[in-house]
Amino acid sequence: MNHLISCTIDFVKEKLHGAEAGHDWFHIERVWKLSKKIAETENCNLEVVELSALLHDIADPKFHGGNETLALKISQDFLENQNVSNAVIEQVLFIIQNISFKNRGEAPKDLPIELKIVQDADRLDAMGAIGIARTFNFGGFKNNLMYHPEIPPKLNMTKEEYKKNEGTTINHFYEKLLLLKDLMNTEKGKELAQERHDFMQKFLDEFYKEWNVT
Ligand code: ADP
Ligand code: NI
């Protein structure tokens, strides 16, 4: 592994020490590995992909009082210290700024392939068995209800509504997780998403069956 990548890994591990389990180093490690797997099937700048995957959640606004520029500042300072070229820094910061599901309405139209790859990897980690586990962990962290039969999901929320949504964890499946399959950018991402999507659907069927004791 090259020196810059191993320094970035050490930096991210230290920064995310004690983070919520769905947004900790292990989330980053999975997204990094998935990004590399998808990158093998695309023509792209691998250094930009790896750095963006490693730094994309360095300061998630939901855990930093809504601050949406802190991650950019931390990443920029780190990369400058590592003498990374300005051209690469610019690409990585653009990805960190535009990768998020809640910002998808504001993102520019023609996205670089490196962003598409890391976004697919991040979205894949929100799906399947890991996605289910992360979602319930986050719901518990926020003390949200798992499910309420009379609270319907809110589709088409604005970014502001999405951020302060205190709905149930099951509703999050309809508000985000089940939408991800059709938002995949790359062919490899689409292929990997299908299996994870089907698994979430099976989980929900089983959840309602067990909830509705007859
Ligand atoms: P992004 O980080 O791409 O903007 P989100 O912040 O919406 O995406 O969510 C990242 C992950 O955090 C989700 O995939 C999910 O696991 C968890 N999460 C976010 N919001 C909720 C919620 N309201 N209920 C349960 N889990 C959530
Ligand atoms: Ni992430």
Side-chain angles (χ1 to χ4, degrees):
M1 193 191 307
N2 84 39
H3 182 67
L4 173 60
I5 298 301
S6 69
C7 285
T8 309
I9 290 172
D10 291 344
F11 176 73
V12 174
K13 274 188 188 165
E14 196 202 302
K15 273 269 173 226
L16 291 182
H17 185 78
E20 181 264 320
H23 292 84
D24 61 358
W25 159 251
F26 295 111
H27 163 63
I28 304 302
E29 186 178 40
R30 291 187 302 268
V31 171
W32 173 53
K33 288 182 178 170
L34 281 167
S35 296
K36 287 196 288 182
K37 198 200 261 283
I38 299 171
E40 281 171 17
T41 69
E42 301 286 342
N43 193 352
C44 63
N45 180 332
L46 188 59
E47 184 175 61
V48 170
V49 168
E50 290 195 60
L51 290 173
S52 307
L54 290 168
L55 291 166
H56 84 276
D57 275 335
I58 198 72
D60 188 319
K62 6 183 208 319
F63 305 116
H64 292 86
N67 187 333
E68 297 197 6
T69 53
L70 185 62
L72 300 174
K73 172 89 180 81
I74 294 173
S75 302
Q76 182 171 9
D77 289 351
F78 169 76
L79 295 169
E80 280 174 358
N81 269 325
Q82 299 291 320
N83 295 315
V84 174
S85 74
N86 282 337
V88 168
I89 295 181
E90 223 171 87
Q91 292 176 74
V92 172
L93 296 185
F94 179 85
I95 293 174
I96 296 173
Q97 193 168 14
N98 290 291
I99 190 176
S100 168
F101 177 79
K102 67 183 169 309
N103 293 341
R104 68 195 181 289
E106 298 165 5
K109 284 292 151 275
D110 282 323
L111 297 171
I113 183 63
E114 291 79 10
L115 186 152
K116 291 181 175 174
I117 292 169
V118 182
Q119 189 172 59
D120 278 7
D122 195 29
R123 288 174 172 175
L124 283 166
D125 203 55
M127 304 175 72
I130 294 277
I132 294 169
R134 290 180 69 214
T135 300
F136 280 96
N137 196 78
F138 186 82
F141 180 80
K142 300 281 279 185
N143 202 22
N144 290 344
L145 288 173
M146 290 200 296
Y147 175 56
H148 193 303
E150 276 146 36
I151 304 178
K154 291 191 200 153
L155 302 175
N156 306 315
M157 277 182 279
T158 63
K159 178 177 166 183
E160 290 314 310
E161 287 169 332
Y162 182 85
K163 282 197 296 190
K164 63 171 193 292
N165 184 21
E166 285 171 0
T168 72
T169 301
I170 287 290
N171 280 351
H172 191 67
F173 283 73
Y174 301 94
E175 292 160 353
K176 174 180 177 187
L177 309 187
L178 295 172
L179 309 178
L180 295 174
K181 173 177 73 74
D182 294 328
L183 293 173
M184 287 291 149
N185 304 302
T186 65
E187 283 312 307
K188 187 72 184 168
K190 285 180 193 159
E191 180 193 317
L192 295 169
Q194 187 64 53
E195 195 177 328
R196 294 179 187 222
H197 181 86
D198 296 345
F199 186 81
M200 291 192 292
Q201 203 70 69
K202 259 174 51 196
F203 168 80
L204 288 170
D205 293 346
E206 191 65 24
F207 186 95
Y208 298 127
K209 203 169 93 190
E210 293 177 17
W211 186 280
N212 296 305
V213 177
T214 51

PDB file of all heavy atoms in Angstrom, residues 56 72 90-109 111-112 115-116 119 123:
ATOM      1  N   HIS A  56     -14.530  10.597   3.388  1.00  0.00           N
ATOM      2  CA  HIS A  56     -15.879  11.128   3.110  1.00  0.00           C
ATOM      3  C   HIS A  56     -16.731  11.390   4.349  1.00  0.00           C
ATOM      4  O   HIS A  56     -17.633  12.214   4.304  1.00  0.00           O
ATOM      5  CB  HIS A  56     -16.633  10.225   2.102  1.00  0.00           C
ATOM      6  CG  HIS A  56     -17.317   9.049   2.723  1.00  0.00           C
ATOM      7  ND1 HIS A  56     -16.681   7.865   3.008  1.00  0.00           N
ATOM      8  CD2 HIS A  56     -18.599   8.877   3.131  1.00  0.00           C
ATOM      9  CE1 HIS A  56     -17.531   7.024   3.557  1.00  0.00           C
ATOM     10  NE2 HIS A  56     -18.700   7.610   3.653  1.00  0.00           N
ATOM     11  N   LEU A  72     -14.648  19.437   5.050  1.00  0.00           N
ATOM     12  CA  LEU A  72     -13.822  19.984   3.967  1.00  0.00           C
ATOM     13  C   LEU A  72     -12.545  20.591   4.528  1.00  0.00           C
ATOM     14  O   LEU A  72     -11.448  20.389   4.010  1.00  0.00           O
ATOM     15  CB  LEU A  72     -14.598  21.057   3.196  1.00  0.00           C
ATOM     16  CG  LEU A  72     -15.892  20.581   2.524  1.00  0.00           C
ATOM     17  CD1 LEU A  72     -16.647  21.756   1.929  1.00  0.00           C
ATOM     18  CD2 LEU A  72     -15.582  19.545   1.447  1.00  0.00           C
ATOM     19  N   GLU A  90      -8.597  19.326  -4.816  1.00  0.00           N
ATOM     20  CA  GLU A  90      -9.850  19.901  -5.316  1.00  0.00           C
ATOM     21  C   GLU A  90     -10.874  18.817  -5.658  1.00  0.00           C
ATOM     22  O   GLU A  90     -12.051  18.924  -5.326  1.00  0.00           O
ATOM     23  CB  GLU A  90      -9.538  20.697  -6.582  1.00  0.00           C
ATOM     24  CG  GLU A  90     -10.231  22.031  -6.671  1.00  0.00           C
ATOM     25  CD  GLU A  90      -9.675  22.829  -7.838  1.00  0.00           C
ATOM     26  OE1 GLU A  90     -10.211  22.634  -8.943  1.00  0.00           O
ATOM     27  OE2 GLU A  90      -8.706  23.588  -7.652  1.00  0.00           O
ATOM     28  N   GLN A  91     -10.403  17.755  -6.315  1.00  0.00           N
ATOM     29  CA  GLN A  91     -11.323  16.671  -6.691  1.00  0.00           C
ATOM     30  C   GLN A  91     -11.875  15.955  -5.459  1.00  0.00           C
ATOM     31  O   GLN A  91     -13.055  15.630  -5.395  1.00  0.00           O
ATOM     32  CB  GLN A  91     -10.610  15.652  -7.594  1.00  0.00           C
ATOM     33  CG  GLN A  91     -10.254  16.209  -8.966  1.00  0.00           C
ATOM     34  CD  GLN A  91      -9.456  15.190  -9.775  1.00  0.00           C
ATOM     35  OE1 GLN A  91     -10.007  14.209 -10.268  1.00  0.00           O
ATOM     36  NE2 GLN A  91      -8.170  15.404  -9.908  1.00  0.00           N
ATOM     37  N   VAL A  92     -11.007  15.716  -4.482  1.00  0.00           N
ATOM     38  CA  VAL A  92     -11.446  15.005  -3.271  1.00  0.00           C
ATOM     39  C   VAL A  92     -12.468  15.857  -2.507  1.00  0.00           C
ATOM     40  O   VAL A  92     -13.520  15.349  -2.071  1.00  0.00           O
ATOM     41  CB  VAL A  92     -10.236  14.653  -2.368  1.00  0.00           C
ATOM     42  CG1 VAL A  92     -10.699  14.088  -1.024  1.00  0.00           C
ATOM     43  CG2 VAL A  92      -9.312  13.659  -3.080  1.00  0.00           C
ATOM     44  N   LEU A  93     -12.203  17.143  -2.374  1.00  0.00           N
ATOM     45  CA  LEU A  93     -13.135  18.016  -1.638  1.00  0.00           C
ATOM     46  C   LEU A  93     -14.485  18.097  -2.352  1.00  0.00           C
ATOM     47  O   LEU A  93     -15.541  18.093  -1.716  1.00  0.00           O
ATOM     48  CB  LEU A  93     -12.551  19.426  -1.459  1.00  0.00           C
ATOM     49  CG  LEU A  93     -11.274  19.526  -0.618  1.00  0.00           C
ATOM     50  CD1 LEU A  93     -10.890  20.993  -0.420  1.00  0.00           C
ATOM     51  CD2 LEU A  93     -11.409  18.838   0.739  1.00  0.00           C
ATOM     52  N   PHE A  94     -14.443  18.126  -3.681  1.00  0.00           N
ATOM     53  CA  PHE A  94     -15.701  18.164  -4.444  1.00  0.00           C
ATOM     54  C   PHE A  94     -16.541  16.910  -4.144  1.00  0.00           C
ATOM     55  O   PHE A  94     -17.759  16.979  -3.972  1.00  0.00           O
ATOM     56  CB  PHE A  94     -15.410  18.259  -5.953  1.00  0.00           C
ATOM     57  CG  PHE A  94     -16.649  18.288  -6.791  1.00  0.00           C
ATOM     58  CD1 PHE A  94     -17.321  19.479  -7.032  1.00  0.00           C
ATOM     59  CD2 PHE A  94     -17.166  17.108  -7.337  1.00  0.00           C
ATOM     60  CE1 PHE A  94     -18.490  19.501  -7.801  1.00  0.00           C
ATOM     61  CE2 PHE A  94     -18.335  17.125  -8.111  1.00  0.00           C
ATOM     62  CZ  PHE A  94     -18.989  18.324  -8.338  1.00  0.00           C
ATOM     63  N   ILE A  95     -15.865  15.769  -4.060  1.00  0.00           N
ATOM     64  CA  ILE A  95     -16.575  14.512  -3.788  1.00  0.00           C
ATOM     65  C   ILE A  95     -17.170  14.518  -2.387  1.00  0.00           C
ATOM     66  O   ILE A  95     -18.345  14.204  -2.187  1.00  0.00           O
ATOM     67  CB  ILE A  95     -15.641  13.296  -4.009  1.00  0.00           C
ATOM     68  CG1 ILE A  95     -15.302  13.205  -5.506  1.00  0.00           C
ATOM     69  CG2 ILE A  95     -16.285  12.005  -3.509  1.00  0.00           C
ATOM     70  CD1 ILE A  95     -14.286  12.144  -5.875  1.00  0.00           C
ATOM     71  N   ILE A  96     -16.364  14.924  -1.394  1.00  0.00           N
ATOM     72  CA  ILE A  96     -16.856  14.938  -0.006  1.00  0.00           C
ATOM     73  C   ILE A  96     -18.089  15.844   0.105  1.00  0.00           C
ATOM     74  O   ILE A  96     -19.057  15.527   0.789  1.00  0.00           O
ATOM     75  CB  ILE A  96     -15.746  15.421   0.958  1.00  0.00           C
ATOM     76  CG1 ILE A  96     -14.590  14.413   0.942  1.00  0.00           C
ATOM     77  CG2 ILE A  96     -16.285  15.604   2.374  1.00  0.00           C
ATOM     78  CD1 ILE A  96     -13.375  14.870   1.722  1.00  0.00           C
ATOM     79  N   GLN A  97     -18.067  16.947  -0.628  1.00  0.00           N
ATOM     80  CA  GLN A  97     -19.153  17.913  -0.559  1.00  0.00           C
ATOM     81  C   GLN A  97     -20.438  17.428  -1.235  1.00  0.00           C
ATOM     82  O   GLN A  97     -21.536  17.795  -0.822  1.00  0.00           O
ATOM     83  CB  GLN A  97     -18.697  19.200  -1.246  1.00  0.00           C
ATOM     84  CG  GLN A  97     -19.602  20.365  -0.974  1.00  0.00           C
ATOM     85  CD  GLN A  97     -18.949  21.664  -1.422  1.00  0.00           C
ATOM     86  OE1 GLN A  97     -17.951  21.661  -2.151  1.00  0.00           O
ATOM     87  NE2 GLN A  97     -19.490  22.767  -0.981  1.00  0.00           N
ATOM     88  N   ASN A  98     -20.305  16.588  -2.238  1.00  0.00           N
ATOM     89  CA  ASN A  98     -21.478  16.230  -3.042  1.00  0.00           C
ATOM     90  C   ASN A  98     -21.923  14.778  -2.946  1.00  0.00           C
ATOM     91  O   ASN A  98     -22.837  14.361  -3.660  1.00  0.00           O
ATOM     92  CB  ASN A  98     -21.214  16.575  -4.516  1.00  0.00           C
ATOM     93  CG  ASN A  98     -21.176  18.073  -4.720  1.00  0.00           C
ATOM     94  OD1 ASN A  98     -22.193  18.749  -4.610  1.00  0.00           O
ATOM     95  ND2 ASN A  98     -19.987  18.609  -4.975  1.00  0.00           N
ATOM     96  N   ILE A  99     -21.317  13.994  -2.067  1.00  0.00           N
ATOM     97  CA  ILE A  99     -21.610  12.560  -2.039  1.00  0.00           C
ATOM     98  C   ILE A  99     -22.930  12.227  -1.335  1.00  0.00           C
ATOM     99  O   ILE A  99     -23.569  11.224  -1.625  1.00  0.00           O
ATOM    100  CB  ILE A  99     -20.446  11.806  -1.341  1.00  0.00           C
ATOM    101  CG1 ILE A  99     -20.611  10.299  -1.526  1.00  0.00           C
ATOM    102  CG2 ILE A  99     -20.330  12.169   0.119  1.00  0.00           C
ATOM    103  CD1 ILE A  99     -19.463   9.489  -0.958  1.00  0.00           C
ATOM    104  N   SER A 100     -23.382  13.101  -0.449  1.00  0.00           N
ATOM    105  CA  SER A 100     -24.443  12.746   0.484  1.00  0.00           C
ATOM    106  C   SER A 100     -25.823  12.583  -0.157  1.00  0.00           C
ATOM    107  O   SER A 100     -26.209  13.328  -1.055  1.00  0.00           O
ATOM    108  CB  SER A 100     -24.504  13.829   1.562  1.00  0.00           C
ATOM    109  OG  SER A 100     -25.665  13.678   2.317  1.00  0.00           O
ATOM    110  N   PHE A 101     -26.566  11.606   0.366  1.00  0.00           N
ATOM    111  CA  PHE A 101     -27.934  11.335  -0.094  1.00  0.00           C
ATOM    112  C   PHE A 101     -28.811  12.574   0.075  1.00  0.00           C
ATOM    113  O   PHE A 101     -29.564  12.948  -0.818  1.00  0.00           O
ATOM    114  CB  PHE A 101     -28.502  10.159   0.722  1.00  0.00           C
ATOM    115  CG  PHE A 101     -29.931   9.805   0.417  1.00  0.00           C
ATOM    116  CD1 PHE A 101     -30.252   9.051  -0.707  1.00  0.00           C
ATOM    117  CD2 PHE A 101     -30.960  10.200   1.262  1.00  0.00           C
ATOM    118  CE1 PHE A 101     -31.570   8.712  -0.981  1.00  0.00           C
ATOM    119  CE2 PHE A 101     -32.279   9.858   0.993  1.00  0.00           C
ATOM    120  CZ  PHE A 101     -32.586   9.121  -0.132  1.00  0.00           C
ATOM    121  N   LYS A 102     -28.682  13.233   1.239  1.00  0.00           N
ATOM    122  CA  LYS A 102     -29.577  14.373   1.499  1.00  0.00           C
ATOM    123  C   LYS A 102     -29.249  15.575   0.629  1.00  0.00           C
ATOM    124  O   LYS A 102     -30.081  16.450   0.433  1.00  0.00           O
ATOM    125  CB  LYS A 102     -29.569  14.747   2.990  1.00  0.00           C
ATOM    126  CG  LYS A 102     -28.257  15.306   3.484  1.00  0.00           C
ATOM    127  CD  LYS A 102     -28.316  15.588   4.969  1.00  0.00           C
ATOM    128  CE  LYS A 102     -26.932  15.890   5.509  1.00  0.00           C
ATOM    129  NZ  LYS A 102     -25.891  14.907   5.163  1.00  0.00           N
ATOM    130  N   ASN A 103     -28.016  15.620   0.064  1.00  0.00           N
ATOM    131  CA  ASN A 103     -27.648  16.755  -0.799  1.00  0.00           C
ATOM    132  C   ASN A 103     -27.897  16.472  -2.272  1.00  0.00           C
ATOM    133  O   ASN A 103     -27.517  17.263  -3.125  1.00  0.00           O
ATOM    134  CB  ASN A 103     -26.155  17.087  -0.632  1.00  0.00           C
ATOM    135  CG  ASN A 103     -25.855  17.626   0.755  1.00  0.00           C
ATOM    136  OD1 ASN A 103     -26.757  18.076   1.452  1.00  0.00           O
ATOM    137  ND2 ASN A 103     -24.599  17.569   1.157  1.00  0.00           N
ATOM    138  N   ARG A 104     -28.525  15.324  -2.569  1.00  0.00           N
ATOM    139  CA  ARG A 104     -28.589  14.924  -3.980  1.00  0.00           C
ATOM    140  C   ARG A 104     -29.354  15.922  -4.846  1.00  0.00           C
ATOM    141  O   ARG A 104     -29.092  16.040  -6.032  1.00  0.00           O
ATOM    142  CB  ARG A 104     -29.138  13.503  -4.139  1.00  0.00           C
ATOM    143  CG  ARG A 104     -30.614  13.320  -3.783  1.00  0.00           C
ATOM    144  CD  ARG A 104     -30.924  11.853  -3.621  1.00  0.00           C
ATOM    145  NE  ARG A 104     -32.326  11.603  -3.304  1.00  0.00           N
ATOM    146  CZ  ARG A 104     -32.908  11.879  -2.150  1.00  0.00           C
ATOM    147  NH1 ARG A 104     -32.215  12.470  -1.182  1.00  0.00           N
ATOM    148  NH2 ARG A 104     -34.179  11.600  -1.940  1.00  0.00           N
ATOM    149  N   GLY A 105     -30.299  16.660  -4.215  1.00  0.00           N
ATOM    150  CA  GLY A 105     -31.055  17.650  -4.974  1.00  0.00           C
ATOM    151  C   GLY A 105     -30.207  18.841  -5.402  1.00  0.00           C
ATOM    152  O   GLY A 105     -30.527  19.527  -6.364  1.00  0.00           O
ATOM    153  N   GLU A 106     -29.121  19.091  -4.661  1.00  0.00           N
ATOM    154  CA  GLU A 106     -28.294  20.280  -4.910  1.00  0.00           C
ATOM    155  C   GLU A 106     -27.055  19.986  -5.744  1.00  0.00           C
ATOM    156  O   GLU A 106     -26.349  20.903  -6.148  1.00  0.00           O
ATOM    157  CB  GLU A 106     -27.781  20.851  -3.565  1.00  0.00           C
ATOM    158  CG  GLU A 106     -28.876  21.316  -2.643  1.00  0.00           C
ATOM    159  CD  GLU A 106     -28.377  21.515  -1.207  1.00  0.00           C
ATOM    160  OE1 GLU A 106     -27.166  21.391  -0.952  1.00  0.00           O
ATOM    161  OE2 GLU A 106     -29.224  21.779  -0.346  1.00  0.00           O
ATOM    162  N   ALA A 107     -26.759  18.700  -5.974  1.00  0.00           N
ATOM    163  CA  ALA A 107     -25.498  18.344  -6.643  1.00  0.00           C
ATOM    164  C   ALA A 107     -25.536  18.735  -8.125  1.00  0.00           C
ATOM    165  O   ALA A 107     -26.591  18.688  -8.756  1.00  0.00           O
ATOM    166  CB  ALA A 107     -25.258  16.847  -6.503  1.00  0.00           C
ATOM    167  N   PRO A 108     -24.380  19.117  -8.690  1.00  0.00           N
ATOM    168  CA  PRO A 108     -24.331  19.422 -10.115  1.00  0.00           C
ATOM    169  C   PRO A 108     -24.698  18.194 -10.946  1.00  0.00           C
ATOM    170  O   PRO A 108     -24.655  17.066 -10.440  1.00  0.00           O
ATOM    171  CB  PRO A 108     -22.856  19.776 -10.348  1.00  0.00           C
ATOM    172  CG  PRO A 108     -22.219  19.882  -9.023  1.00  0.00           C
ATOM    173  CD  PRO A 108     -23.081  19.197  -8.024  1.00  0.00           C
ATOM    174  N   LYS A 109     -25.052  18.407 -12.191  1.00  0.00           N
ATOM    175  CA  LYS A 109     -25.553  17.294 -13.008  1.00  0.00           C
ATOM    176  C   LYS A 109     -24.452  16.324 -13.472  1.00  0.00           C
ATOM    177  O   LYS A 109     -24.553  15.131 -13.251  1.00  0.00           O
ATOM    178  CB  LYS A 109     -26.340  17.827 -14.217  1.00  0.00           C
ATOM    179  CG  LYS A 109     -27.731  18.321 -13.840  1.00  0.00           C
ATOM    180  CD  LYS A 109     -28.674  17.166 -13.391  1.00  0.00           C
ATOM    181  CE  LYS A 109     -29.723  17.609 -12.390  1.00  0.00           C
ATOM    182  NZ  LYS A 109     -29.315  17.631 -10.969  1.00  0.00           N
ATOM    183  N   LEU A 111     -21.513  14.493 -12.912  1.00  0.00           N
ATOM    184  CA  LEU A 111     -20.609  14.163 -11.811  1.00  0.00           C
ATOM    185  C   LEU A 111     -19.408  13.368 -12.313  1.00  0.00           C
ATOM    186  O   LEU A 111     -19.538  12.528 -13.202  1.00  0.00           O
ATOM    187  CB  LEU A 111     -21.380  13.358 -10.765  1.00  0.00           C
ATOM    188  CG  LEU A 111     -22.545  14.118 -10.109  1.00  0.00           C
ATOM    189  CD1 LEU A 111     -23.382  13.192  -9.244  1.00  0.00           C
ATOM    190  CD2 LEU A 111     -22.011  15.291  -9.280  1.00  0.00           C
ATOM    191  N   PRO A 112     -18.232  13.600 -11.720  1.00  0.00           N
ATOM    192  CA  PRO A 112     -17.050  12.833 -12.121  1.00  0.00           C
ATOM    193  C   PRO A 112     -17.191  11.353 -11.739  1.00  0.00           C
ATOM    194  O   PRO A 112     -17.861  11.029 -10.750  1.00  0.00           O
ATOM    195  CB  PRO A 112     -15.912  13.484 -11.330  1.00  0.00           C
ATOM    196  CG  PRO A 112     -16.553  14.276 -10.260  1.00  0.00           C
ATOM    197  CD  PRO A 112     -17.945  14.603 -10.696  1.00  0.00           C
ATOM    198  N   LEU A 115     -16.520  10.332  -8.130  1.00  0.00           N
ATOM    199  CA  LEU A 115     -17.628  10.563  -7.181  1.00  0.00           C
ATOM    200  C   LEU A 115     -18.670   9.450  -7.305  1.00  0.00           C
ATOM    201  O   LEU A 115     -19.150   8.905  -6.311  1.00  0.00           O
ATOM    202  CB  LEU A 115     -18.283  11.922  -7.423  1.00  0.00           C
ATOM    203  CG  LEU A 115     -19.366  12.321  -6.399  1.00  0.00           C
ATOM    204  CD1 LEU A 115     -19.450  13.845  -6.298  1.00  0.00           C
ATOM    205  CD2 LEU A 115     -20.737  11.772  -6.717  1.00  0.00           C
ATOM    206  N   LYS A 116     -18.990   9.105  -8.533  1.00  0.00           N
ATOM    207  CA  LYS A 116     -20.014   8.066  -8.748  1.00  0.00           C
ATOM    208  C   LYS A 116     -19.612   6.751  -8.078  1.00  0.00           C
ATOM    209  O   LYS A 116     -20.445   6.040  -7.522  1.00  0.00           O
ATOM    210  CB  LYS A 116     -20.223   7.839 -10.244  1.00  0.00           C
ATOM    211  CG  LYS A 116     -20.881   9.020 -10.935  1.00  0.00           C
ATOM    212  CD  LYS A 116     -21.075   8.719 -12.413  1.00  0.00           C
ATOM    213  CE  LYS A 116     -21.848   9.857 -13.076  1.00  0.00           C
ATOM    214  NZ  LYS A 116     -21.949   9.681 -14.526  1.00  0.00           N
ATOM    215  N   GLN A 119     -19.771   7.159  -4.173  1.00  0.00           N
ATOM    216  CA  GLN A 119     -21.184   7.279  -3.791  1.00  0.00           C
ATOM    217  C   GLN A 119     -21.875   5.909  -3.849  1.00  0.00           C
ATOM    218  O   GLN A 119     -22.630   5.556  -2.943  1.00  0.00           O
ATOM    219  CB  GLN A 119     -21.864   8.256  -4.748  1.00  0.00           C
ATOM    220  CG  GLN A 119     -23.269   8.642  -4.335  1.00  0.00           C
ATOM    221  CD  GLN A 119     -23.789   9.755  -5.218  1.00  0.00           C
ATOM    222  OE1 GLN A 119     -23.873   9.591  -6.433  1.00  0.00           O
ATOM    223  NE2 GLN A 119     -24.125  10.878  -4.629  1.00  0.00           N
ATOM    224  N   ARG A 123     -23.437   4.024  -0.627  1.00  0.00           N
ATOM    225  CA  ARG A 123     -24.847   3.613  -0.656  1.00  0.00           C
ATOM    226  C   ARG A 123     -24.991   2.112  -0.469  1.00  0.00           C
ATOM    227  O   ARG A 123     -25.937   1.649   0.175  1.00  0.00           O
ATOM    228  CB  ARG A 123     -25.489   4.065  -1.969  1.00  0.00           C
ATOM    229  CG  ARG A 123     -25.693   5.574  -1.970  1.00  0.00           C
ATOM    230  CD  ARG A 123     -26.193   6.109  -3.287  1.00  0.00           C
ATOM    231  NE  ARG A 123     -26.550   7.519  -3.142  1.00  0.00           N
ATOM    232  CZ  ARG A 123     -26.931   8.302  -4.143  1.00  0.00           C
ATOM    233  NH1 ARG A 123     -26.986   7.822  -5.368  1.00  0.00           N
ATOM    234  NH2 ARG A 123     -27.246   9.565  -3.911  1.00  0.00           N
TER     235      ARG A 123
END
